[in-house]
Structures are given as C-alpha cells and as structure tokens.
Amino acid sequence: MPTYQKVKGTMDVFGHYARVKEKVSNVLKAMAELYAYSPFETPMMESTDLFQRGSGETTDIVEKQMYTFLDKGGRSLTLRPEYTAGVARAIVENKLYATSDLPIKAYYEGPLFRYERPGLGRYRQFTQFGVECVGEDSAWLDAETLLLAVESLYFLGFRKVKAKINSLGGKASRDAYRKALVEYFRPHVDKMCQDCQRRIDTNPLRLLDCKVPGDKEIAKDAPSILDYLVDEDRERFEKVKAYLTMLGVDFEVDSGLVRGLDYYSGLVFEISIAGEKDYGAVLGGGHYDDLLGELGGPSLPGVGFAIGIERLIASYCDEGLDKDADPGLDVYLMPIGKEAFDAAFTLLVETRLNGYSAEMPAKEGKLNSYFKKAERAGARYALIFGDEELKAGKAQLKDLNKKEQIEIDLTDLEHELEKHIETEGEHDDHE
Ligand code: AMP
C-alpha cells in the first residue's frame, strides 16, 4: 500500500493546536473590530504579475519563493505569498476608494505560500492575520496601526514584546540613500553573494537584508537611511515616534530594518516576542505610498501589518498562555440500561437545543468507562440516569469538578439546566 504524507513545510491542524489557533484568531479579530476594522477576503491565487509587477519586485519572496504554475487555460497563477498586494488589488478592482469612506480598514486571515527552507517557525504554507488601513495619509494612522499590533499581543497575554521601527522615507529620501548605499557597497560587492551582486544595481536596499553571514558583516557598517531622510520624512518619523511615546508603546529604532517587500516607504516595523526560543519576528508591517497607484488605482497610501499565526502560537504555548484554549463540554450524558440509552438521544438533542454543548457515548457501556470519556472530553457535568429513574422522570446531575451531585426533574430539563449549570462564559465572569 502506498503511504501518503503531507507536503514538506505544511502542517495538519487538529486537537489542542486547532483550539489555540481558533482562540488566538478570535482575539485578533475582536481587537481589529475594536479599532474599527472590517473583515476582508481575497482569493488564495492571483495572477502572477500582481506580485511581479513587471519584475519591479526584487525581493527573495517574489524572485525565489513563489508557488507559480500554469492553469489548464495557460494562465500563470501564483499562490499568494503575501496579502497586501491582493488586498490592494481588490480595493482598486472594486473601486472601494470611491464607494467607501476613507480610510478603508480591512482585516484578514488565511494561508500564504512561500517556497522556503522549513525550520523553526518557518513553513511553506503558513497563516497570517493582518490589517490594512488604506486611503488616508497620517502619522496618527501609522502609529495607530503599530498600537493595534502591540495591543493585540498584550491582550493575548504577552508581556515581553519588542517593537523595532525604522523609516524608509519617501522617494526623494530613498533615491539619495540608494546612491549612498551603492557607493558604500561597490568596493565590497565582489566578495558578496550573487544576489547582492545583481541587486546592487536593481535594488541596493536589499543588500541590507541579505542573510549570508559574510554579507551581513559588510552590511553592518553601511550608511543609515535615517541620515538621508529629507526634512518632510524626518518630521513625519518624529511625529510617529511622538505619538507612539504618547500611547505608551515601547519601541526601539533600528536603522537596518528594511522588511522583505519592496512597496514599503516611510514607517516600517517588526515585533518579536522574547522567550526561550527565537522564532524570529512574529509580526511585520509598515506604510506604503504608491502600491495602489502601481496597480492602476489612484495614488493612495496605506499602512498595515501581518502576524505569523504559527509563530504566534509557538510563543503562546511556550508562555503557557494556551491552558484555557479548550472549551470542554457542558454536559456528558450517562444512560445506564437499554431504555435509558434509547431515551438519551432525545435528552441529548434537548440539551444542545438549550445551548449547552453535550455528548453521550456512542455505545452502551459501563459507568466507569463513561466517566473516563467525560473526563477526556473535558465535561463539567454528568447527567446520569438508569431505566428506573427515567420512568420516574429523574436524573442525577453531577458537577464533575466539585464532585457534588443533585437530583433533577427530567420533565423540565430546560429549567433544571438553567438553574444548575454554570457554563464556561458565566464561570469566567465570576473570576
Ligand atoms: P512578512 O509577510 O514577510 O512581512 O512576514 C510577516 C510575518 O509572517 C512574519 O513576522 C512571520 O511571523 C510570518 N512568516 C513569514 N514567513 C513565514 C514562514 N515561512 N513560515 C511561518 N511564518 C512566516
């Protein structure tokens, strides 16, 4: 028999991990809603040229890591390696800038695909949750976006969050900086990797981002973008920093931060979570000036970030924040005897209809085995009844945590459950 395995760099999601993923996702969505964002979805595949844009992109992600294929109609399609381009495309294509109040504030979550070497916190299919705030240019929106990122992590329970920020400036600043970089790197470039040798002419900023150890060493002493910001860009960066300070966001300026995609201008940032293992940045984002314009729309700016959900979950579990992720069951039904077992189906349905999660054994068994099943299912209550009790319309409701048991009236199950069962939500309120 052939055996089948998942594709390298992908993962199956089930059990506790699936619960944690769901919980983390709910918190992130709730936070985005608090900041007046709305849900947004784009297709998982796009035309390849959306990402390549006439080879305008010279990043590893676009040049080397895309899952690109021809469909049966001969179209070149790519499984999205990032979200922002797709969201910007959707805004332009649907002319949302004309019909919506600006800024458009969109949040999204879903899988991305990059052909990378799998490793700690690095997959070929991974999940991002992110936001894009498009259509208005303001230092406040830049700061608010980073605040949302930091607050979301705080709300999830993280306390050791480190935000690094930088400004890549606008076109004028970057042109001046590019010139300075070429001057700096030119005498060293022969010793650098093939990519760097090529990119010194196409996109010298990328030389700062090279992962090759020797190249990193050379890049260490490269000039800083912050010395090349024109007044307007410098003032903008100062304003963003002032807002962040006012908002109590802890940040550090890192002039070497350039991010892995070319559309960024102005503010860029990355956040990592300090912990026992180094998963790299959990979140990255920044401001972009002309992505919509490049895609054939009006020249409207945007700012956004994306969180890597798998990295987030890894840190979440390392910190022990995942303990309450499994909601468990409200009630486990334990019928003893044939008649009780048959009647249990109706009671099970009734319990669920009243809003309590409930389960019963699939086959008749011993009370002992029922208790084991209830425990594994994380049940908080057991509803126990035998044939005789059933005839009398009675059952025992046992609180499995407190080990207390009371007799209830099965003919009025709805009220009895309401009276005696403390659901997870209520339980939290009491804490
Ligand atoms: P980026 O889209 O490259 O700015 O990345 C944003 C975030 O996505 C990173 O900070 C990571 O948390 C996550 N991420 C990026 N690439 C991967 C990957 N290959 N596997 C898992 N997470 C990733």
Side-chain angles (χ1 to χ4, degrees), residues 333 344-354 358:
L333 276 69
F345 297 128
T346 320
L347 293 171
L348 177 70
V349 171
E350 196 180 337
T351 308
R352 288 171 177 167
L353 276 177
N354 282 301

Side-chain angles (χ1 to χ4, degrees), residues 9 61 65 81-83 112 114 116-117 119-128 259-261 263-264 269-271 279-285 305-312:
I61 294 173
Q65 298 177 347
E82 60 114 0
Y83 255 109
L112 297 187
R114 292 182 193 169
E116 291 199 78
R117 183 135 46 91
L120 188 66
R122 197 160 355 93
Y123 300 90
R124 289 182 173 170
Q125 177 179 332
F126 60 99
T127 316
Q128 278 190 350
R259 310 276 310 117
L261 291 151
Y263 46 71
Y264 288 114
F269 52 87
E270 261 181 23
I271 298 182
Y279 299 105
V282 70
L283 180 157
F305 68 77
I307 301 182
I309 293 294
E310 288 77 11
R311 287 190 197 173
L312 184 71

Side-chain angles (χ1 to χ4, degrees), residues 90-154:
I91 290 173
V92 171
E93 185 174 344
N94 296 289
K95 297 196 172 54
L96 295 184
Y97 49 83
T99 51
S100 318
D101 206 26
L102 298 180
I104 297 159
K105 293 175 102 175
Y107 70 83
Y108 51 78
E109 184 178 37
L112 297 187
F113 305 84
R114 292 182 193 169
Y115 193 76
E116 291 199 78
R117 183 135 46 91
L120 188 66
R122 197 160 355 93
Y123 300 90
R124 289 182 173 170
Q125 177 179 332
F126 60 99
T127 316
Q128 278 190 350
F129 175 92
V131 306
E132 306 295 339
C133 172
V134 174
E136 291 278 11
D137 193 22
S138 96
W140 165 252
L141 290 176
D142 287 352
E144 187 199 67
T145 307
L146 183 51
L147 177 68
L148 170 58
V150 170
E151 284 278 288
S152 297
L153 296 175
Y154 193 85

